[in-house]
Amino acid sequence: MFKIYNTLSRKKEVVKPIKAGFVGMYTCGMTVYDHTHLGHMRTYVNTDILRRVLEYNGFKVKQVENVTDVGHLFGDRDMGKDKMEAAAKKAKKSAWEIAKMYEKEFFETMDALNVKRPTIVCRATEHIKEMIELVKRMEKNGFTYKTSDGIYFDTTKIKDYNKLSGMPLDKLREGARVEINPEKRNPTDFSLWKFTPKGIKRQMEWESPWAKKGFPGWHIECSAMSMKYLGDRIDIHTGGEDHIPVHHTNERAQNIAATGHPVVNLWFHNAFLKVEGRKMSKSLRNFFWMKDIKDRDFDPLSLRYLFLTGHYKASLNFTWESLKAASIALEKLRQTVRESQTKQKVGSGEKSLIKIKQYQQKFLSHINDDLNMPKALAVMWKLVKDKNVSPQEKYNLLSDFDRVFGLGLEEVKKIKIPQRVKKLVQLREEYRKAGDFKGADKVRKEVLELGYKIEDTKEGPKVKKKENIK
Ligand code: AMP
Ligand code: ZN
């Protein structure tokens, strides 16, 4: 039984899909106006873990993920500047170019982290028709009103509007008051469609039944695209915890207004990542992205390992020290895999078979208990150290666990040191023996440039791949 915490009911619930054996899952995607930072990476790695655990339990998963390439304003409300247009102006590029560039970066980052590609990726700008139709449906059902700057959603028409966050209505209203729009009937009301202001030329705008030119509000895209691809009964909807009080609360309201029922059964939210104990922000210069990881010679999968060491509902504090520790742990794991690949198969006795079963059961019980990955990792390390399990069985079990961990353990091959590097290492030894330490150091540097590092041990020099040493 796979249990997962549902933000809506505030309880762990057994996953019972609408259609037996099939899970429809919608993932709130990136706003593609800037780099994919460490916080995003954590949320999407954890979402990937959720998908993998569903698959490990035998469910077929259809994951739909959007790309927000229009409509998301600064401050997540209705009055700030448009993130895409502002980024385009700053970079002296078109909003379309910016979107394309950061979408590419996002998916490349996800690939490096072994995050499975969604079954369907859908861009907001390619679903304007569906969004307009949905707004029209809500309009017909009496949930909307028009102001001088757009079509708004009347949140008082939803009787349990605050159910997802569980926050008292006046607290939600207070949060919404940050931005003052005198024409809004209630502070929590939000725009469904915005009109392009007079005298402004936007790069992204479309004709609509309400005004000549305009663009969608931020929340409408997710309601429109999730229902288009998954129907109006959806098993799981995912996102970061910041989405609970505004974006997902409003999405839920839209769904109810359009269909008469809540649409999503289970809301899955990831806690935020902090960097060196602080919120991420450009001014604090702690806004790291994949380039920073690679520039410091870390394997991106070390980052995935680091994310696995924390529970998705607890906030995680990223430090370069913790990444270093994660990379050492991952390398140890890879070493175990390499060793078990090369060692001879040892016949598995009955005792050993019972042990393997126990490991499997423990692992399953932890991942099925609201994705307890730290405990699942602990089971794996116990297995790694267990002398009573043969290398072959260890390898098989590690490969099986890695269907969930996604650390690419199956692909770990014995490191092959290139001939050129081997020759250089030999040459360095000759220099050293001759007392030419300057020459030896020069060769060491050359080896380093080729991506390998020499470690002097009692048994002589040992060569390792650079990324494996931290
Ligand atoms: P955005 O592009 O801002 O909509 O963010 C994309 C996803 O990343 C959303 O699900 C956010 O909740 C999530 N996210 C943004 N910042 C962080 C962070 N610091 N830690 C974890 N998740 C984050
Ligand atoms: Zn969304």
Side-chain angles (χ1 to χ4, degrees), residues 353-469:
L353 281 178
I354 294 169
K355 275 208 130 179
I356 289 166
K357 216 120 216 100
Q358 281 170 348
Y359 277 119
Q360 264 168 337
Q361 276 165 356
K362 277 231 166 77
F363 175 78
L364 190 65
S365 74
H366 293 317
I367 60 170
N368 277 0
D369 179 19
D370 198 21
L371 308 181
N372 198 331
M373 302 321 285
K375 281 198 174 161
L377 274 184
V379 170
M380 188 201 62
W381 282 112
K382 210 168 160 212
L383 166 72
V384 165
K385 287 175 193 145
D386 195 331
K387 294 205 168 63
N388 294 317
V389 179
S390 75
Q392 180 73 32
E393 286 159 340
K394 238 177 228 184
Y395 176 76
N396 291 344
L397 214 46
L398 286 174
S399 302
D400 182 58
F401 292 174
D402 204 45
R403 283 165 54 207
V404 171
F405 292 139
L407 294 167
L409 295 183
E410 286 243 45
E411 282 116 64
V412 176
K413 300 265 153 47
K414 212 169 177 316
I415 297 175
K416 277 207 184 102
I417 310 292
Q419 206 50 31
R420 191 160 156 229
V421 174
K422 280 187 190 162
K423 279 198 176 144
L424 283 169
V425 175
Q426 229 174 358
L427 181 67
R428 177 174 168 269
E429 277 308 283
E430 280 162 24
Y431 276 132
R432 270 160 49 97
K433 277 181 193 147
D436 182 356
F437 296 107
K438 234 174 149 181
D441 206 43
K442 219 174 129 205
V443 177
R444 187 188 59 79
K445 277 186 187 142
E446 208 176 314
V447 168
L448 208 58
E449 273 160 24
L450 290 170
Y452 294 83
K453 194 168 172 179
I454 306 172
E455 276 182 352
D456 292 310
T457 69
K458 271 190 226 150
E459 296 92 44
K462 274 201 173 152
V463 189
K464 290 190 174 173
K465 251 189 122 124
K466 208 166 73 179
E467 71 209 23
N468 296 332
I469 300 162

Side-chain angles (χ1 to χ4, degrees), residues 33-35 90 102 280-287:
Y33 77 108
D34 205 341
H35 295 301
K90 207 168 148 206
Y102 287 121
M280 254 184 295
S281 101
K282 287 205 168 146
S283 57
L284 290 173
R285 293 178 184 275
N286 63 0
F287 194 88

Side-chain angles (χ1 to χ4, degrees), residues 75 81 94 100 153 176:
K81 273 191 190 158
S94 80
K100 216 170 147 191
F153 189 100

Side-chain angles (χ1 to χ4, degrees), residues 64-88:
V64 177
E65 185 170 321
N66 68 305
V67 173
T68 299
D69 52 359
V70 68
H72 195 166
L73 309 185
F74 280 106
D76 287 357
R77 301 273 174 188
D78 299 313
M79 301 293 275
K81 273 191 190 158
D82 184 308
K83 289 187 171 182
M84 298 302 311
E85 304 247 345

